Amino acid sequence: MSQPRPDYPRPILRRDQWLNLNGSWRYAPDPNDLGLQQRWHLGHDYPLEIQVPYPVESAASGIHNDRPVLVHWYECDFDVPKDWQQQILLNIGAADHWTRAFVNGLEVGQHRGGYSPMSFDVTHALQAGSNRLTVRIEDGISWTQPRGKQAGTTKWPIDYTTVTGIWQTVWLEPVAKLHVQAIHSEFTLATGSLMVLIEANCQSNAIAEVLLKRGGATIASAAKSFDHRSEAKLTLTIPDPQLWAPESPCLYDLEIRIENSAGQTDIVQSYVGLRQISTAEGRLLLNEKPLYIRGVLDQGYFPGGWYTPLDDAAIRRDVELTLALGFNCARKHQKIEDPRYLYWADQLGLLVWEEMPSGRIFSNELVTTLTAEWLSIIRRDRQHPCIIAWVPFNESWGVWNQGTRPEQRAFVDGIVNLTRALDQSRWVVGNDGWEYSSGDLWTLHIYEGESVSLQQRLDAVIDHPGSSVNSSHKVGALAGAKVDGLPILLTECGGIGYAPGELQGDEFAYGDLPNTLEELEQRCQNVAAIISPIAKLQGFVWTQLTDVQQEINGLVYFDRTEKLSISKTRAIILGIGTD
């Protein structure tokens, strides 16, 4: 069997040397949580095999248990290449939810959070020849942890089977003692300048150098001392900059070097898209030109692998499918996507809204866990030009009472400001859907199918932000929040379901189901006709790209085959906002 997911897992920050550990691992569920007490990390007879990096619930994992226990143990053997004389890092792209890693029986690190990356220094635990990696992963069922649309103690009609265990690539890489941990750049169109921020693993007085390249030739460069800090900020002036945009996703190569006083060097490869995001007079601007968002809600679930696509081609096909259907943007809903998805969006010109998976019970655990994980995710992904908006909360999930409980509103506003502290180059949507408190855009979720029409509700909320958005009486904006002058977007609409043949009874969609494809097409055209002439709207997000489990409101089926033809859907989507 070929190695699963062999592609380099972090394309925005690449090193030449690395060792992919994906593949067949030894595996054991631990239903009574005895593994630590019995010291499984020192040696254990594992009864099963699992294919990493596919989650336990998926068919591709070989386990395919949609009701797994809460504690899981993984183990594999590896040899470190003999020419790796530097510090060795163990990287796990994502594992849900609490990860503890052991090398040769010695614990090398812990990580909480099901969506953010982890990196552990394992140099001190390595031995000559074969090494043993053991990973213990514990999930939970409580909504006090960020879990997105994974069913927990309760299951809504829009929740799905859980995702448990390792679900992104595991790999080793050698690094210099002083090395790059993250990068971030911001482009200013007026001056043609690019600010590049380099974050290192520790404070130093080393020299950081950045080379901007196109077609192998160096276009601009800059160098600067870290000045006894752990980060350095450099500015490059770019002659005749070629801009990144959906219609022309031009990318430049970046090479980043750090060299300390002993001559030790860390070199990483990256890339950058030169683009500037802004707003003016209630309108969205990309590179100072008007931008109308034609977005689609994308849950990010894949046949066979569930959270994890079977291969890189499946990721690229989803990006290409989204563009072929007429959309210029994907709102990745309640899932932090694999970096390979962001890579293909960068390459092919698809805009992305990145949204934090929600918890649903406000608690100290939710505050601390979500905050730490969200900030880590921003640092991982803020170099990708495709991402144009950060969305830390959706529909007040987990902050249900922010209108009456100041601590919940403070949490939302605090996360908005922390997001801005890490990144000034994108929009922040504080709470997508309703109950606006703070953020750069005013976004609303409104579907057909209620007693008052979509158009009437939109008009009412836009004219009176404190009025209800839907039948659950959630208001458009909280008391004291200022929405005047903000761009307005309808970031959930459509949601029209269709499934041929006999239904099972638990199917979910918004409104009544059309009986034929002709009725489905007419319903889609009706919603488009309502949205299109509303001049105040700066875009929309259509629910949703694919069917997922009981949700049958996808524009295509879960296997990505068509409902309406691609050409019919594309004509409907491209016709919106052109009046």
Side-chain angles (χ1 to χ4, degrees), residues 280-358:
E281 298 178 346
R283 298 194 175 277
L284 307 178
L285 301 177
L286 176 61
N287 300 327
E288 297 185 349
K289 296 179 180 179
L291 173 67
Y292 188 85
I293 296 293
R294 293 181 176 85
V296 67
L297 195 74
D298 183 357
Q299 311 283 2
Y301 287 78
F302 294 85
W306 210 220
Y307 257 14
T308 310
L310 296 185
D311 53 34
D312 203 51
I315 304 176
R316 178 170 182 160
R317 283 194 297 269
D318 264 21
V319 174
E320 291 174 335
L321 174 63
T322 301
L323 293 167
L325 290 168
F327 299 102
N328 62 7
C329 180
R331 178 183 160 215
K332 301 300 293 192
H333 184 44
Q334 290 298 293
K335 180 195 177 190
I336 299 301
E337 197 50 89
D338 188 310
R340 298 291 307 182
Y341 181 96
L342 301 175
Y343 166 79
W344 284 114
D346 291 337
Q347 294 286 330
L348 300 175
L350 179 66
L351 305 173
V352 174
W353 286 32
E354 183 148 294
E355 177 181 314
M356 180 65 199
S358 300

Side-chain angles (χ1 to χ4, degrees), residues 494-510:
I496 304 163
Y498 177 78
E502 186 175 345
L503 301 180
Q504 302 300 310
D506 63 345
E507 289 81 7
F508 179 84
Y510 292 89

Side-chain angles (χ1 to χ4, degrees), residues 354-557:
E354 183 148 294
E355 177 181 314
M356 180 65 199
S358 300
R360 294 183 198 163
I361 297 175
F362 183 79
S363 63
N364 288 335
E365 180 184 2
L366 182 64
V367 170
T368 55
T369 304
L370 186 147
T371 300
E373 189 162 17
W374 179 239
L375 297 182
S376 174
I377 288 161
I378 293 171
R379 290 179 65 243
R380 186 197 79 171
D381 291 343
R382 60 186 174 173
Q383 181 61 17
H384 288 279
C386 66
I387 298 176
I388 59 170
W390 301 114
V391 187
F393 295 94
N394 171 70
E395 294 184 345
S396 302
W397 294 4
V399 286
W400 306 107
N401 301 300
Q402 60 169 325
T404 57
R405 296 186 181 178
E407 68 273 21
Q408 295 189 14
R409 187 165 179 176
F411 181 32
V412 174
D413 293 343
I415 291 292
V416 168
N417 287 321
L418 283 173
T419 302
R420 287 172 171 162
L422 288 182
D423 184 10
Q424 290 281 320
S425 68
R426 293 172 173 87
W427 301 310
V428 183
V429 180
N431 179 37
D432 197 14
W434 44 69
E435 292 192 324
Y436 171 89
S437 177
S438 58
D440 302 309
L441 311 177
W442 187 23
T443 59
L444 301 168
H445 296 176
I446 303 177
Y447 293 95
E448 284 283 14
E450 298 190 20
S451 57
V452 180
S453 75
L454 185 156
Q455 185 169 3
Q456 288 174 304
R457 277 177 285 148
L458 262 177
D459 290 342
V461 174
I462 290 173
D463 291 340
H464 303 284
S467 62
S468 296
V469 174
N470 56 23
S471 58
S472 63
H473 304 296
K474 292 294 186 181
V475 298
L478 296 176
K482 305 296 184 182
V483 297
D484 293 344
L486 291 179
I488 305 169
L489 292 93
L490 181 63
T491 48
E492 282 191 29
C493 62
I496 304 163
Y498 177 78
E502 186 175 345
L503 301 180
Q504 302 300 310
D506 63 345
E507 289 81 7
F508 179 84
Y510 292 89
D512 297 330
L513 297 180
N515 294 312
T516 65
L517 287 172
E518 290 74 20
E519 289 183 22
L520 172 63
E521 182 178 2
Q522 186 60 56
R523 287 271 299 277
C524 291
Q525 289 175 340
N526 291 346
V527 173
I530 293 170
I531 299 171
S532 191
I534 303 176
K536 291 183 179 180
L537 285 182
Q538 300 306 298
F540 65 92
V541 175
W542 195 283
T543 304
Q544 60 187 12
L545 182 62
T546 77
D547 292 349
V548 184
Q549 286 194 346
Q550 76 280 358
E551 285 202 67
I552 58 170
N553 50 10
L555 291 167
V556 299
Y557 298 108

Side-chain angles (χ1 to χ4, degrees), residues 37-263:
Q37 179 182 339
Q38 296 176 355
R39 301 184 179 182
W40 289 8
H41 53 288
L42 299 180
H44 182 66
D45 184 14
Y46 290 84
L48 301 170
E49 288 191 357
I50 188 170
Q51 290 296 312
V52 171
Y54 303 110
V56 172
E57 292 84 349
S58 70
S61 72
I63 304 299
H64 203 194
N65 182 358
D66 63 3
R67 294 176 180 267
V69 300
L70 297 182
V71 180
H72 305 260
W73 288 78
Y74 296 71
E75 188 176 88
C76 75
D77 299 319
F78 65 92
D79 292 332
V80 177
K82 293 181 180 179
D83 61 340
W84 286 13
Q85 301 301 318
Q86 308 101 309
Q87 185 175 351
I88 310 297
L89 300 181
L90 167 67
N91 299 292
I92 303 177
D96 200 357
H97 169 77
W98 177 18
T99 302
R100 299 178 68 172
F102 306 82
V103 173
N104 298 321
L106 180 66
E107 186 162 16
V108 293
Q110 298 187 19
H111 175 85
R112 288 184 184 267
Y115 301 91
S116 52
M118 62 202 83
S119 185
F120 307 129
D121 181 0
V122 299
T123 314
H124 60 291
L126 296 173
Q127 60 189 22
S130 180
N131 291 267
R132 183 179 71 253
L133 170 61
T134 307
V135 179
R136 178 191 184 273
I137 299 177
E138 181 176 346
D139 205 355
I141 59 173
S142 174
W143 287 107
T144 59
Q145 75 182 51
R147 46 187 317 114
K149 297 189 71 170
Q150 302 179 54
T153 51
T154 58
K155 182 175 181 179
W156 288 355
I158 57 171
D159 289 335
Y160 313 134
T161 300
T162 57
V163 173
T164 302
I166 298 170
W167 65 274
Q168 286 184 27
T169 291
V170 182
W171 80 100
L172 296 170
E173 62 181 340
V175 297
K177 185 176 181 181
L178 174 66
H179 56 270
V180 178
Q181 281 193 325
I183 60 173
H184 171 50
S185 63
E186 295 183 8
F187 176 68
T188 302
L189 186 59
T191 59
S193 60
L194 180 71
M195 181 283 294
V196 180
L197 176 69
I198 303 171
E199 293 187 37
N201 63 308
C202 61
Q203 299 172 359
S204 77
N205 204 29
I207 300 298
E209 183 181 17
V210 176
L211 304 176
L212 183 75
K213 299 181 178 182
R214 188 84 189 277
T218 299
I219 305 298
S221 63
K224 187 177 182 179
S225 168
F226 276 91
D227 195 21
H228 302 291
R229 302 177 184 179
S230 61
E231 59 185 49
K233 187 180 293 186
L234 303 88
T235 300
L236 296 82
T237 301
I238 304 168
D240 188 26
Q242 305 300 300
L243 303 182
W244 186 97
E247 62 276 9
S248 56
C250 175
L251 295 171
Y252 289 79
D253 294 319
L254 274 180
E255 184 174 301
I256 296 100
R257 300 168 177 261
I258 297 179
E259 184 173 351
N260 65 16
S261 57

